Amino acid sequence: MPLTCIIVDDEPLAVKLMESFVAKTPELELLGSFTDSVEAINAVKEQKPNLLFLDIQMPDLNGMELAHMIPTETRVIFTTAFKEYAFESYEVSALDFLLKPIRYNKFMVAVEKAKEWFAKSECPKPSTITHHPTPNTKIPSALFVRVDGELRNITISDIIYVNGMKDYVMFYLDSETKPLITHLTMKAVEEMLPPDKFLRVHRSYIIAVDKIRKVDRNDCIYIGNEIIHVPDGYQESFHNFLGTRTINKM
């Protein structure tokens, strides 16, 4: 069944954009859209959607305040033009933080996070947790990836992180301003990358561990231009990794 959702944004054009994204996403069912946050909170409490796409800067009742008032079964994905709100968004356990102008590929990554969260909430004790496979006897220093019909040679040490979206992955590299997008699965990428240098911290993210800038108290990883929140299902392996690299342990 699709996840139900409500959109709240005081900008009509932003609402229309999000509505168009939801309309072409079969995993979602739109219950309503609101430009007035006070009206929205009543609808959210009554309909109890799975997801709330919520703007932060709004008159009368801002998004952060509204997020503290919603039913516990509703999860928030914040939408805003101000990246400084990223820290606060994780304090209210937001599933994701979409920075305007929002692109559909980023929107879909957030939807995948939501699907993962609700799937795990239905099965709180999954029988398996994704781990890195046993490394190959010989690990390559580069990979050939098909991009726009051409084979691109990617040096493994150039990879910052990999972001998956359904059957596509995006390689974010030190040497490229835009990601390289290819038709591939995250499992296939994970099996090719050396496990001593890369760690899967999310269903949709594999990171180069040596390129982490910092990790905050909310288990948010700062890497490249991205902030990645490590969900519950990946925290054990991530904390084990941190334990092997941390000098001043508490």
Side-chain angles (χ1 to χ4, degrees):
M1 292 180 62
L3 298 176
T4 57
C5 65
I6 284 179
I7 298 167
V8 184
D9 198 309
D10 64 323
E11 299 177 7
L13 289 178
V15 170
K16 287 186 179 295
L17 176 65
M18 294 299 289
E19 286 177 340
S20 70
F21 286 173
V22 172
K24 61 181 179 180
T25 306
E27 295 92 341
L28 298 177
E29 176 187 347
L30 184 62
L31 299 181
S33 301
F34 298 86
T35 55
D36 186 303
S37 56
V38 177
E39 291 181 4
I41 189 61
N42 294 325
V44 172
K45 288 181 177 179
E46 179 181 343
Q47 300 187 61
K48 295 181 174 61
N50 299 124
L51 289 176
L52 182 62
F53 292 99
L54 180 60
D55 186 24
I56 294 179
Q57 279 205 331
M58 294 184 293
D60 298 326
L61 183 69
N62 68 44
M64 287 296 173
E65 294 169 333
L66 193 153
H68 286 285
M69 302 168 64
I70 64 174
T72 55
E73 57 264 45
T74 297
R75 310 307 299 176
V76 174
I77 295 177
F78 280 116
T79 60
T80 182
F82 303 94
K83 64 172 62 177
E84 57 267 26
Y85 287 117
F87 300 102
E88 294 180 64
S89 71
Y90 291 116
E91 291 180 4
V92 294
S93 300
L95 286 181
D96 209 347
F97 180 90
L98 295 174
L99 192 62
K100 296 178 181 179
I102 300 167
R103 295 177 296 171
Y104 185 63
N105 66 327
K106 290 289 186 180
F107 174 85
M108 279 305 302
V109 170
V111 172
E112 289 298 319
K113 290 180 182 179
K115 288 170 57 183
E116 175 187 4
W117 190 91
F118 281 101
K120 288 181 178 178
S121 68
E122 294 175 0
C123 304
K125 294 183 179 180
S127 58
T128 58
I129 297 177
T130 302
H131 295 285
H132 283 294
T134 303
N136 297 327
T137 55
K138 186 176 182 180
I139 298 174
S141 60
L143 301 172
F144 282 97
V145 176
R146 189 172 297 279
V147 180
D148 295 330
E150 299 178 341
L151 287 175
R152 294 285 300 271
N153 190 0
I154 298 177
T155 303
I156 288 179
S157 61
D158 196 26
I159 300 172
I160 305 172
Y161 64 92
V162 183
N163 181 200
M165 185 175 65
K166 290 190 176 181
D167 294 328
Y168 290 86
V169 297
M170 294 175 281
F171 287 87
Y172 287 81
L173 309 175
D174 280 326
S175 61
E176 300 280 345
T177 57
K178 295 182 179 180
L180 301 184
I181 303 174
T182 186
H183 188 273
L184 202 60
T185 65
M186 289 290 282
K187 182 179 180 181
V189 175
E190 188 176 18
E191 290 174 350
M192 288 298 295
L193 295 176
D196 61 325
K197 297 183 182 298
F198 291 86
L199 183 67
R200 190 161 186 177
V201 296
H202 191 285
R203 181 179 180 181
S204 302
Y205 288 97
I206 299 171
I207 63 168
V209 295
D210 291 340
K211 297 188 180 180
I212 299 174
R213 297 199 308 278
K214 68 175 182 177
V215 180
D216 70 19
R217 64 179 181 271
N218 297 311
D219 286 322
C220 296
I221 300 169
Y222 293 70
I223 185 168
N225 295 319
E226 188 70 283
I227 302 173
I228 303 168
H229 180 243
V230 182
D232 292 344
Y234 292 85
Q235 285 188 6
E236 182 179 356
S237 59
F238 181 59
H239 290 161
N240 289 340
F241 156 73
L242 289 180
T244 65
R245 298 285 186 103
T246 303
I247 297 175
N248 55 335
K249 300 178 183 179
M250 298 298 292

